[in-house]
Each structure stands twice: as C-alpha cells, then as structure tokens.
Amino acid sequence: MSKPTKTLPVLFDLRSSSRFIVFCISTAVFTDTFLYGLVIPIFPYSLSGRAGIPEDQIQKWNSILLGLFGIGSVISSLFFGWLADRMSGRQTPLLLGLTLFLAATVLLWLSQSIVLLCLGRFFQGVSTAVVWTVGLALLVDSVGPSEIAVQTGYTAAALSVGFVAGPLVGGIVYDKLGYDAVFIIAIALLVVDILLRVSIIEKRAARTILAEHGLEDDVRRPLLPREVADSRSTQDTPVVQASPMLALFKSVRINASLISTLIQGITVTALEATLTVHVKSTFNYTPTQASLVFLSFVIPSLFAPLIGKLCDYVDKRYIVSGSFILGGIAYTLMQIPTDNSKASQVFLIILLVLSGLAFPSTLTPIVAEIFETVEGIEKSKPGIFGPMGGSAQGYGLFNGAYALGTIIGPLAGGFIKYKISWGAMSIFLGIISFIASFPALLFIGGRLSIGKLLSRESSASRHASP
C-alpha cells in the first residue's frame, strides 16, 4: 500500500514551512525597497535624455517622480488591506502586486514621455502597497504570535539593506553598464520574486492538503497554532459595525503605532534626502563615498531579529519610546560635525549608527503591536473583520503611514536644509523623534497608568525578593 505522502506537492515540507515563508516575504520587502532606490540615480537622464525635460526643470520633476511613488502607496494601502482580508488567500493578491510592479518597471524602462514616467512611478507605489500590506499579513498568518516580533525583524533588516543598496547599485551599474542594465537587474529580481511567491504553500492551504491525505496530525503539519488558524472560522457571532476600519482608528494602540511609523518614515527619508549632499559639501566625499556613509545607518538593522527577541522580555512601549529618545539625541547632535576633520567624520558615523539602531527598534515592535491589537479587537468583537481577520487592514494602515512619511520627509528635510541649514534640519528630526516618544510610551501595549507602573514595580519586587 503506497503512502499518501507520495502525492503531496513537490517540496511540500519546505514550501509550507514558516521559515521559507518568512524568507520569501523578507525577499519581497528587500526587492521592493531595493527597486525603489535603484532607479533614482537614472531619473535625471530619463527626464532630460528620454522625456525631453529642460535642465532647469529636472529637479522639480525628479521630486515629483519621488513623490508619486509615495502617493500611489498611500492611497492604495487601505484598499488592498481591505481586499486582502476578504479573499480566501494571500498569495493571489501578492502575485497581482508583483506583476503590477513588473509592468510598472517595464513602463519606466521604455518611457520616453513625462506622462508615462509619472504613470510608471505611481503604479510602482501602488504595487508596493500590495507587497507590504499583504506580505506582512501572510507573515503573521504563518508564525505563532510569540514569534511575530522576531520574524518581522528579518523584514526590517531586509528593508534597511534594500533601502541603501538600491541607489548605490543603481548609480554604479548606470555608470559602468548603462541605462538598460539597471532595468534588466530590476526585472530579473522581480521574476525571482514572483517565482518565490508561486512556490509558497500558505498555512491554510497546507492544512487542507494534509487533511485530504489523512496527515493532519503528521509531524509536518504547518507551525501555525491551530487556535490561531481556526479561531476565525469557528466564530459565528454576528457583529453590527459600521466599518471595521473605524474600529482600528478608534484604538489608541493603533494610532500610537501609526504615529510612530509616520515619524520613522519622515526621519529616515529626510536623512536620505540630505545626508549625501551634506557629506559631499562638508567632507568633499565622492557620490560613492557618500552612499557608503549611509551603510553605518543600515548595519544596526541587521540586529533587528534580536530586537524582536527582546520584545519577549521588555515591554514594547519602553523599546519604542526609548528608541525615539535615542534617535532624537543622535539626530540633534548631528548638527555638531560640520568641519572637514577626521573627528567630525567619525562622530557623524557614530551618530548614524545610533540613529540606525533606533529604526529597527521602532518598526519591529510596531509590526507585532499591530497584530496584537487587531487580534484583541477581534476577540472582543468576534467576526468584525470577517473570516480572514483584519491583519491586512492593520498593515494597510501601517504601510500608508510609512508611505506618507516618505512623502513628507524629503520635502521637509530638503526645505529646511536648503532654506536654513543642516543643523536646523537635524534639530527638526530630533524634535519630532522626542515628541513621538510620548504617544509610544503612553499607548503602545495599552494605556499606561500610574497604577500599572506601580503594580509592575511591586510585581518585580516580589519576584526579586528571596
């Protein structure tokens, strides 16, 4: 008698494993942020050499192209979050998003008019909303609640690496190999990403396959706890609610998370938009050297999984608020290194490392916080988000907030630097970081009260007593 396992899909154990799914989502996040920056160095050529834009208007249209990406992401995040929570699986919207990203990238490649360039960049922003919103929802569907912070640490690391590597690789490839080579790299990455997405077997689908083969209790069963996978399907209590999204907006925990995400989007992109020019004018760095300096901001993100693990032992409110305070100090002190000396260069790198550490220390706990908050709302109002839950809608808000920050950051940072000074810009980033620490401290994890603080202190004292 043949074993039923022979009829399982090829590499079933691997393709349905949590680690593989996390790897695929992290790859998607890297590809998204990498391609966001990959084409930035060639925009001036696209505008002047292909679209025929006069030289005195290049800066204006370059800024418009950058802004259209964020606008497309902001206005589509909520819709795709809502749509994903009403579809039977996450894979289909993810594939549609990546296919749209591929089509938009080809449009940018072949465009010879400003209208087509703007459309291509806008639809890249729309597609990135799908990747982030649905991708994070798929990730939390695939791991146990206790693992979310750790696993999202890998996506935070992928985000930061792609964020810096994109413009650096784009500039080098364009200089050495030309315009077409940049887009060939982009399309190759997207094709690989699509193949990875096709290979995923979602947890829900995997459990169905195992059940059909009488292997539901086999050791290869997907790692998603049964109570997480099945709780929504067993809820039959109807809930009258004007809008599930309204329930999210009414949550102080969600609002605090969105404020934190928005501020991080502003600070990171404002720094990206101004740092290269600052080190070039202050330290006489070449464009490649200026790009490499930003690596000191990225390296701390490689420790994001450890930050996720830290969330198991330290209240997320203290990690996020402490990270904003650390970032606020680092940004404020960036006004000091303004002379062309080794000491100033080393000091700036140290400050970039500190501010870079604040980035994953904020976003990693926030991703877990949004999941926990959505699950809490769903438990108190069963069925409010439908059979698929509301995680995609929560991450739609998350992506929309970050995308809005990527619009505000370059505009605000660039305006302050060019109209006033680099020092004023660094003080601005420090101030908004300090301000963001207050809602994070007061509301992430629930409203903070003196009673809670006292009870935690007394509990800690009891545990410490012999």
Side-chain angles (χ1 to χ4, degrees):
M1 180 176 175
S2 61
K3 294 183 180 180
T5 53
K6 292 182 180 179
T7 60
L8 290 173
V10 176
L11 299 175
F12 175 82
D13 293 344
L14 171 66
R15 293 165 59 194
S16 63
S17 68
S18 295
R19 289 187 177 183
F20 180 72
I21 294 174
V22 171
F23 169 76
C24 289
I25 299 305
S26 298
T27 302
V29 168
F30 167 79
T31 300
D32 173 70
T33 53
F34 180 82
L35 296 188
Y36 166 82
L38 183 73
V39 296
I40 289 177
I42 68 170
F43 275 159
Y45 167 75
S46 296
L47 289 167
S48 61
R50 297 175 66 86
I53 300 298
E55 286 296 327
D56 60 349
Q57 297 185 32
I58 295 296
Q59 181 61 57
K60 180 186 76 172
W61 282 105
N62 191 56
S63 300
I64 290 173
L65 288 176
L66 293 175
L68 283 171
F69 185 97
I71 292 171
S73 186
V74 168
I75 65 176
S76 58
S77 290
L78 298 185
F79 170 75
F80 285 116
W82 173 87
L83 181 65
D85 280 338
R86 278 153 181 79
M87 298 183 72
S88 59
R90 311 291 193 191
Q91 191 175 41
T92 299
L94 259 180
L95 286 173
L96 290 175
L98 287 168
T99 303
L100 178 60
F101 207 139
L102 179 61
T105 302
V106 172
L107 181 60
L108 278 179
W109 182 13
L110 302 178
S111 294
Q112 296 192 20
S113 73
I114 189 61
V115 173
L116 293 180
L117 282 172
C118 288
L119 284 175
R121 195 59 172 170
F122 175 81
F123 283 112
Q124 276 192 328
V126 171
S127 60
T128 199
V130 183
V131 172
W132 274 92
T133 299
V134 185
L136 288 176
L138 175 58
L139 187 148
V140 301
D141 287 346
S142 305
V143 300
S146 62
E147 288 291 312
I148 289 174
V150 176
Q151 300 302 329
T152 54
Y154 292 106
T155 64
L159 181 153
S160 296
V161 173
F163 188 73
V164 172
L168 180 61
V169 173
I172 293 174
V173 170
Y174 176 64
D175 288 339
K176 302 296 183 181
L177 301 175
Y179 176 83
D180 292 336
V182 175
F183 286 97
I184 291 172
I185 290 174
I187 291 170
L189 275 175
L190 284 169
V191 170
V192 171
D193 212 1
I194 290 172
L195 292 175
L196 285 174
R197 223 60 60 241
V198 170
S199 67
I200 287 176
I201 299 177
E202 293 185 51
K203 294 297 186 180
R204 292 180 179 86
R207 295 189 66 173
T208 300
I209 293 171
L210 288 173
E212 290 174 350
H213 290 81
L215 298 171
E216 189 173 0
D217 295 321
D218 190 83
V219 293
R220 288 164 302 169
R221 188 176 66 189
L223 300 178
L224 182 65
R226 178 180 296 280
E227 60 271 17
V228 176
D230 292 342
S231 61
R232 297 181 186 116
S233 63
T234 58
Q235 292 169 346
D236 55 6
T237 305
V239 174
V240 178
Q241 178 75 25
S243 169
M245 195 65 70
L246 182 61
L248 294 176
F249 278 119
K250 289 170 66 176
S251 168
V252 293
R253 295 177 65 180
I254 289 291
N255 287 321
S257 298
L258 297 181
I259 291 171
S260 298
T261 306
L262 172 67
I263 297 302
Q264 278 294 10
I266 292 173
T267 54
V268 171
T269 54
L271 188 65
E272 181 197 33
T274 56
L275 179 65
T276 302
V277 177
H278 172 67
V279 297
K280 182 180 179 181
S281 61
T282 304
F283 305 135
N284 299 318
Y285 282 180
T286 65
T288 301
Q289 288 176 316
S291 298
L292 290 174
V293 166
F294 211 76
L295 284 176
S296 56
F297 180 89
V298 174
I299 289 174
S301 291
L302 300 179
F303 298 97
L306 297 179
I307 295 168
K309 193 66 176 176
L310 183 65
C311 293
D312 293 337
Y313 304 97
V314 181
D315 194 326
K316 293 191 293 296
R317 74 172 77 244
Y318 300 122
I319 296 176
V320 177
S321 60
S323 299
F324 275 121
I325 292 172
L326 175 64
I329 293 172
Y331 288 128
T332 303
L333 293 178
M334 283 183 191
Q335 64 181 302
I336 295 176
T338 55
D339 63 296
N340 189 8
S341 65
K342 289 294 183 183
S344 289
Q345 296 175 49
V346 171
F347 188 39
L348 179 61
I349 290 174
I350 292 173
L351 295 176
L352 287 171
V353 170
L354 293 176
S355 59
L357 180 62
F359 179 68
S361 300
T362 301
L363 292 189
T364 302
I366 288 299
V367 172
E369 171 73 0
I370 290 174
F371 170 79
E372 292 173 7
T373 306
V374 170
E375 290 292 296
I377 294 173
E378 195 166 21
K379 285 181 180 179
S380 64
K381 300 177 180 179
I384 186 173
F385 297 114
M388 290 292 288
S391 57
Q393 294 173 77
Y395 292 124
L397 291 174
F398 168 84
N399 185 71
Y402 189 82
L404 182 59
T406 65
I407 298 173
I408 298 172
L411 295 176
F415 178 82
I416 294 173
K417 181 186 182 300
Y418 295 124
K419 293 295 183 180
I420 306 177
S421 66
W422 162 263
M425 196 280 301
S426 65
I427 292 173
F428 164 73
L429 297 185
I431 290 174
I432 63 174
S433 294
F434 287 129
I435 292 173
S437 68
F438 290 101
L441 177 64
L442 294 175
F443 300 119
I444 285 180
R447 294 179 187 272
L448 181 66
S449 64
I450 299 299
K452 285 184 179 179
L453 281 175
L454 292 177
S455 70
R456 288 186 181 184
E457 288 178 0
S458 62
S459 175
S461 299
R462 285 196 302 271
H463 287 301
S465 299

